[in-house]
Every structure is written in structure tokens, then in C-alpha cells.
Amino acid sequence: MRLPVSLPLETASRIVDEALRLGRAEELLPLTVAVLDGGGRMVAMKGEDGSGILRFEIAFGKAWGALGMGISSRLIRDRLSSRPTFQSALATAADGRLIPVPGGVLIRDDAGTTIGAVGISGDTSDKDEYCAILAIHSAGLASEPAGPAPDWRDSSLSDHYP
């Protein structure tokens, strides 16, 4: 007996490969991409050569948090930035798997049903999110958020770290 599939491996693999292609086209830092199905199970994952060893956990946490809250990790960040106590409670409830920064994007089918999520880590969060959104769209699916941050290309790690 076969179990129902919300996000086929072929589709998840296409999303991963396209996200990595976009990262190379934009000359981003090495990326790690994780695709989860609607139940939070890993369907596909790849990490580029040179991607740090924590990048998988971060990518997974972005996708898993988006699924768990039913909104993108960008929206989680925006809604919780002024609510640190609730953000801490969510992190505790999620056993530390919640990563509330952009790069966790919901995957939606034609009916608007969430069928999975993509999490990317490696460059700035806005650049990670850009790759996730465009890769989802290339597979003929919808994303939440529908588009990347308008100034995604201007984001820089030097803005955040000395």
C-alpha cells in the first residue's frame, strides 16, 4: 500500500536544483536547501561544497518553522520581533528547530493548500528567500510569500556582522 504524497520527490528535487542554480547565477555564498512535505518530513536536501555544517539545521528550521506556524519565516520574524517572550516560547515548543528569519517559504498548490516548505541557508536571509521563492515558482507552484523582499539584492552580510 502506498501512502498519499503531498509533494513528490521529483518536484522537491527540481526545487532544490533550481534554487542552487539561482544561487550560482547570482554568485551567492554556498547554499544548503531543504524541502519538506506538508507533514514536515524531509523530501530532498542538498548542500553545496563550502556550505557550513550548521546550514542544514538552519535551512530545515526555516522550513519547519514556516510549516509549524503556517506562515513564511519572514512573516514569523516580522510578527514576533516585538514579542520576544512569545518567540522564546515558540523556540522552546519547537525544541529549538524554529529559525525566525527569511528563507523559509511555504509551497502551495493550485488550490492554495500548503503542500510543503523550502528552507535555504547560506547567504543573507533575503537572498536565501529569493532563491526559494523563484525555485518554487519554476516548479509551477505558488509560494508564501508570493515574492521576494523588494531590496533582496541589496542585503549584505556586512550589514549584520562586523
Side-chain angles (χ1 to χ4, degrees), residues 11-72:
T11 303
S13 295
R14 179 176 173 187
I15 291 169
V16 168
D17 291 341
E18 179 62 9
L20 294 174
R21 187 197 70 73
L22 289 162
R24 288 309 96 234
E26 293 294 336
E27 299 181 357
L28 303 185
L29 295 172
L31 301 177
T32 294
V33 182
V35 178
L36 311 181
D37 69 12
R41 291 172 293 274
M42 179 69 62
V43 181
M45 188 282 291
K46 285 186 181 179
E48 291 184 297
D49 294 345
S51 189
I53 63 171
L54 282 176
R55 293 299 180 181
F56 167 75
E57 285 80 2
I58 296 167
F60 181 88
K62 289 178 178 185
W64 197 83
L67 280 173
M69 293 299 292
I71 56 176
S72 71

Side-chain angles (χ1 to χ4, degrees), residues 6-160:
S6 67
L7 184 61
L9 175 60
E10 180 180 337
T11 303
S13 295
R14 179 176 173 187
I15 291 169
V16 168
D17 291 341
E18 179 62 9
L20 294 174
R21 187 197 70 73
L22 289 162
R24 288 309 96 234
E26 293 294 336
E27 299 181 357
L28 303 185
L29 295 172
L31 301 177
T32 294
V33 182
V35 178
L36 311 181
D37 69 12
R41 291 172 293 274
M42 179 69 62
V43 181
M45 188 282 291
K46 285 186 181 179
E48 291 184 297
D49 294 345
S51 189
I53 63 171
L54 282 176
R55 293 299 180 181
F56 167 75
E57 285 80 2
I58 296 167
F60 181 88
K62 289 178 178 185
W64 197 83
L67 280 173
M69 293 299 292
I71 56 176
S72 71
S73 59
R74 180 200 321 174
L75 195 50
I76 293 170
R77 178 206 60 195
D78 294 348
R79 287 188 180 170
L80 298 183
S81 63
S82 64
R83 301 172 64 198
T85 302
F86 186 63
Q87 186 171 338
S88 178
L90 279 178
T92 299
D95 291 329
R97 291 178 286 186
L98 177 75
I99 307 292
V101 296
V105 179
L106 296 176
I107 304 168
R108 296 207 168 128
D109 64 14
D110 293 339
T113 302
T114 297
I115 60 170
V118 177
I120 300 181
S121 179
D123 207 291
T124 67
S125 295
D126 286 341
K127 290 176 181 177
D128 296 342
E129 180 187 72
Y130 162 83
C131 292
I133 291 169
L134 267 62
I136 291 167
H137 295 176
S138 77
L141 297 163
S143 65
E144 194 293 302
D151 57 350
W152 70 268
R153 190 172 263 121
D154 298 328
S155 65
S156 168
L157 290 174
S158 63
D159 294 342
H160 306 287

